Amino acid sequence: MGFKRWLFRLSFKRRVWISFIVLLMLAISASGTMTYFIAAGVVKKNAFELSQNSLNKSAQVLDEKLKQITVSVMTLTISDSFKEMIRNVSAGDSQNYYRLLSLIQTPFSQIQALQPAIQSILITTPIGEFYPTTYLRLKENSFFDSEMYDLITQYQHAVWIKGHEDRFFSGKERVITLVMQPLTEIPLDNVHIIVNINEQALKELVIQNIEQSSQPFYLVSKEGDAVLSSMASLPDEFNHPDFVALINEEEGGHFEYKTKHKAYLVNYAYLSLSPDWVLLTVQSKSDLLKQMNAIKWSSIFIMAGCLIVALFFSNLLTAFLLRPLYRLRNLMIQVEQHNDLSVRFQSDFQDEVSQVGSKFNSMLEEIALLIQEIREGEKKKRKAEIKALQAQIDPHFLYNTLNTIYWKSQLNQLDDVKQMILSLSRMFQLGLNNGLEFTSLEKEVAHVEQYLFIQQKCYENLFDYSIEVEEESLLEAPILKLLLQPLVENSILHGFKNRTSGGKIVVSIWSEENKLVILVTDNGEGMDVETIRRSLKNGSEKQGYALWNIYHRLLLYYGESSEMILESTPGEATSIKLIVDWEGDNGYGDKD
């Protein structure tokens, strides 16, 4: 008992000092491991970021070069010589072929001077082919017998062809080809422009923008086919569906790709001009992490030494010393994961951990109190906003009602005048409800009946209505006030706004699975249900103000289990169904 009492009075610092040797060895082991993994992670992250920045820059430069070439070719199509050629093609006149071939040499020279990367240009037409006369055309290779013609027929306007040998001109240079149908004033389907771009020029353009020049790059299609590369071709281990799927997941980024024998760090970026082409760089992870070998082996040796030393110490002692700290940690995790603020820390010790635990208990109590105060404040704030909204009596309704009463009095329709005044008074009395937020279903039905009666007098012959309550016992049920009136008001003002007669409003009320169901149906012109739903979810009042008010009052007073369901067939039927959960915390009788 004496030792236990002495131990309980020790400070946490003293107990940590007693177990210093054990914890020191474990700390060295853990720190060595973490140092290696953190350093390796930083190296890999930096390599990814550096490669991605360089790759994005290269992709932008390559995109810009391809755009410049495309624009240069477009300028060819607006030259006078090209336009004259198109007129002769349209007329089927081949007599001027050699004169046109001579005229178009100037635009060819200008384009090639402006874009040295262009290897050759070929224009195919029904009256003959046009190309720089300084090149030797291989007549045996027809454009119309090539796969390029099949592709441009499929894609209609323009298509990029991956790297290949130039089959139309002597020299057999490696090129990437742009095939396009020019946009002309006279529509022609049988005119094509074939632009061969020097593959080596594009390679040099990409390489000079990649900071790590030793890192190979590849330009591939979404299907994994090589378009252009700094190496001979994409390694076979990358011709795998899993790799192709990874580069198709997003519009650019990086990932680690593992094969049977090796792991690679892959960065990739899409070209905007040719969205089916992906520019990527590949580097070996093992080569990148060679510099980490010294740290790795040092950490392994230190960890082995720590393990041998730790065998001489008792796990029970460590568990005993750290038990209060573990208990406090578990309580914090419980609070974090389950939002359980009722947990409390208890300990027989009188050390620093116990003091922290005491402060932790106080903190939880203060947090619980603050959360309760915030909830109450938010609830009062929302109720105040709802009350303010309810207090805004529609001036158009009041104006129309008083104006109708006036004219009926002028026409000596005194019975209607009396009934409208009584209905208006009764409606306001039921709406105020002595300041209570909840009323009975019977009073709510009476309130909407008074409103509908007044509107029938204001808009004579515009509509008829009926109210059906499944069971009389439902009339005694408590319900949030002013739920029905905005719904029928919505039918009259919006559904019947283009009508002069024939309107029909049906209000049906029944119970279903301990929930009250209110259905308001009209045969008005309908509404855009999807727009209203988005407005309700996004918290916007611009679409369907009355519906927005009712929807958020339901959420406030009845919770998420209550619903508002909208359906509409324009000109036939529009329905709004309210499902009120009586089992929820609805605050019956709550008032300001």
Side-chain angles (χ1 to χ4, degrees):
M1 292 296 294
F3 173 78
K4 184 177 180 181
R5 189 180 300 109
W6 171 81
L7 186 60
F8 282 177
R9 290 181 180 178
L10 282 178
S11 66
F12 183 74
K13 181 178 180 181
R14 287 287 184 180
R15 283 184 280 124
V16 170
W17 181 82
I18 293 174
S19 56
F20 174 74
I21 298 177
V22 178
L23 297 179
L24 179 61
M25 294 298 101
L26 295 176
I28 293 174
S29 174
S31 63
T33 304
M34 293 303 297
T35 299
Y36 173 77
F37 284 109
I38 290 174
V42 170
V43 170
K44 186 171 76 171
K45 178 183 177 183
N46 291 339
F48 268 137
E49 291 179 353
L50 179 61
S51 297
Q52 192 65 43
N53 291 335
S54 300
L55 187 67
N56 289 340
K57 181 180 177 182
S58 300
Q60 291 174 1
V61 170
L62 182 58
D63 248 332
E64 185 62 29
K65 175 57 68 174
L66 297 181
K67 287 178 183 177
Q68 291 174 2
I69 292 173
T70 303
V71 171
S72 298
V73 175
M74 296 300 294
T75 60
L76 169 66
T77 64
I78 61 176
S79 65
D80 293 337
S81 55
F82 186 86
K83 290 180 179 179
E84 185 175 352
M85 180 193 71
I86 291 299
R87 286 193 292 270
N88 280 262
V89 171
S90 177
D93 184 3
S94 61
Q95 296 180 358
N96 296 321
Y97 169 75
Y98 289 104
R99 184 178 65 83
L100 293 173
L101 179 62
S102 177
L103 287 176
I104 207 167
Q105 295 305 309
T106 300
F108 283 158
S109 300
Q110 292 174 345
I111 292 176
Q112 290 185 302
L114 185 63
Q115 299 295 337
I118 295 179
Q119 179 73 24
S120 59
I121 304 175
L122 173 66
I123 303 176
T124 63
T125 73
I127 66 172
E129 296 181 335
F130 296 84
Y131 51 87
T133 55
T134 56
Y135 286 84
L136 178 60
R137 174 73 170 94
L138 302 177
K139 297 294 186 179
E140 65 271 15
N141 294 331
S142 170
F143 168 74
F144 296 99
D145 295 333
S146 68
E147 63 178 11
M148 296 183 188
Y149 179 72
D150 297 334
L151 288 173
I152 192 62
T153 303
Q154 177 182 355
Y155 290 98
Q156 297 298 321
H157 296 299
V159 62
W160 289 90
I161 310 297
K162 65 183 182 179
H164 61 280
E165 287 187 355
D166 186 354
R167 66 192 65 180
F168 301 123
F169 296 95
S170 64
K172 295 185 178 181
E173 298 287 344
R174 293 285 302 178
V175 294
I176 288 178
T177 302
L178 167 63
V179 184
M180 59 185 298
Q181 288 183 324
L183 299 176
T184 59
E185 297 179 355
I186 305 172
L188 297 171
D189 295 333
N190 51 2
V191 177
H192 303 88
I193 301 177
I194 299 95
V195 182
N196 291 322
I197 305 165
N198 187 279
E199 187 180 75
Q200 185 60 33
L202 293 183
K203 286 183 183 180
E204 294 174 357
L205 180 68
V206 176
I207 289 174
Q208 68 184 4
N209 287 283
I210 295 181
E211 297 178 9
Q212 297 178 346
S213 58
S214 61
Q215 183 176 317
F217 77 87
Y218 305 92
L219 183 64
V220 301
S221 67
K222 283 186 176 181
E223 291 74 27
D225 298 327
V227 177
L228 177 71
S229 66
S230 59
M231 307 293 287
S233 61
L234 192 66
D236 293 337
E237 52 197 354
F238 293 97
N239 294 327
H240 193 277
D242 292 341
F243 182 81
V244 174
L246 287 172
I247 63 175
N248 279 275
E249 284 185 356
E250 299 180 2
E251 293 300 321
H254 54 77
F255 58 88
E256 183 175 337
Y257 181 68
K258 296 181 179 179
T259 64
K260 292 182 179 179
H261 308 291
K262 210 169 185 180
Y264 296 89
L265 304 183
V266 181
N267 294 77
Y268 66 103
Y270 276 78
L271 300 186
S272 61
L273 189 63
S274 181
D276 289 335
W277 287 1
V278 188
L279 184 64
L280 55 87
T281 57
V282 178
Q283 53 184 324
S284 170
K285 183 179 179 181
S286 59
D287 294 341
L288 180 67
L289 298 180
K290 280 183 180 179
Q291 55 186 311
M292 300 299 299
N293 286 337
I295 297 178
K296 179 179 69 175
W297 287 110
S298 298
S299 300
I300 291 175
F301 289 138
I302 294 174
M303 290 170 59
C306 290
L307 179 61
I308 294 173
V309 174
L311 293 176
F312 293 97
F313 295 90
S314 172
N315 292 330
L316 295 177
L317 177 62
T318 304
F320 174 76
L321 292 175
L322 297 179
R323 187 180 302 159
L325 191 59
Y326 288 154
R327 189 184 306 121
L328 180 58
R329 181 199 62 181
N330 293 335
L331 291 176
M332 290 181 177
I333 293 175
Q334 185 175 350
V335 173
E336 177 185 9
Q337 295 182 348
H338 303 288
N339 295 323
D340 185 4
L341 300 180
S342 63
V343 299
R344 293 295 181 268
F345 177 81
Q346 295 179 350
S347 176
D348 295 330
F349 294 100
Q350 301 176 10
D351 53 21
E352 290 83 353
V353 176
S354 298
Q355 295 175 12
V356 172
S358 178
K359 294 296 183 181
F360 174 74
N361 294 340
S362 301
M363 181 186 67
L364 291 181
E365 293 173 358
E366 291 179 5
I367 290 175
L369 182 61
L370 288 174
I371 291 175
Q372 183 64 27
E373 291 177 354
I374 291 173
R375 286 176 177 171
E376 292 296 328
E378 288 296 322
K379 187 174 181 181
K380 290 179 180 179
K381 178 181 177 181
R382 289 292 297 144
K383 287 186 178 181
E385 291 174 353
I386 296 301
K387 287 180 179 292
L389 290 173
Q390 295 172 0
Q392 297 177 4
I393 300 174
D394 187 348
H396 297 289
F397 166 71
L398 191 58
Y399 169 79
N400 289 340
T401 301
L402 295 177
N403 191 49
T404 302
I405 291 174
Y406 171 77
W407 285 110
K408 285 185 177 291
S409 65
Q410 290 292 317
L411 297 173
N412 291 323
Q413 298 178 6
L414 300 182
D415 288 340
D416 285 349
V417 170
K418 292 177 183 178
Q419 291 176 0
M420 288 184 69
I421 292 174
L422 289 174
S423 293
L424 185 63
S425 174
R426 179 60 175 161
M427 191 188 78
F428 285 157
Q429 179 186 15
L430 292 169
L432 293 173
N433 196 37
N434 296 323
L436 297 175
E437 291 297 334
F438 283 82
T439 184
S440 67
L441 181 59
E442 182 178 14
K443 291 182 179 180
E444 181 68 7
V445 170
H447 177 269
V448 78
E449 285 179 333
Q450 304 300 327
Y451 174 80
L452 288 170
F453 173 79
I454 293 172
Q455 290 289 42
Q456 277 190 324
K457 294 298 181 182
C458 292
Y459 303 100
E460 292 186 353
N461 301 320
L462 174 62
F463 69 92
D464 292 323
Y465 71 89
S466 64
I467 300 177
E468 305 169 355
V469 181
E470 183 183 53
E471 301 177 9
E472 290 188 5
S473 59
L474 294 177
L475 296 175
E476 299 178 0
I479 190 174
L480 186 64
K481 70 178 181 180
L482 296 180
L483 286 181
L484 284 175
Q485 183 266 333
L487 298 181
V488 299
E489 179 184 22
N490 191 71
S491 297
I492 297 170
L493 298 184
H494 301 292
F496 302 152
K497 65 180 180 180
N498 295 321
R499 279 180 175 267
T500 56
S501 64
K504 180 66 176 178
I505 299 175
V506 178
V507 180
S508 303
I509 303 172
W510 70 90
S511 64
E512 185 178 296
E513 298 181 355
N514 292 325
K515 293 184 179 182
L516 181 66
V517 182
I518 299 174
L519 178 64
V520 177
T521 305
D522 66 67
N523 61 345
E525 65 181 41
M527 60 183 172
D528 188 344
V529 171
E530 291 302 323
T531 301
I532 298 295
R533 285 174 180 164
R534 286 195 299 268
S535 175
L536 296 179
K537 296 297 182 183
N538 297 334
S540 172
E541 303 177 42
K542 294 181 179 180
Q543 297 285 342
Y545 167 78
L547 299 181
W548 184 93
N549 188 4
I550 293 175
Y551 176 74
H552 285 84
R553 289 174 67 204
L554 284 174
L555 293 181
L556 175 63
Y557 288 94
Y558 293 103
E560 297 289 343
S561 58
S562 296
E563 300 179 66
M564 174 186 285
I565 301 174
L566 309 176
E567 295 181 356
S568 180
T569 302
E572 296 182 9
T574 298
S575 66
I576 302 175
K577 180 186 288 186
L578 304 183
I579 301 177
V580 179
D581 184 7
W582 285 348
E583 300 297 324
D585 180 13
N586 49 33
Y588 293 155
D590 194 17
K591 69 179 181 177
D592 232 354

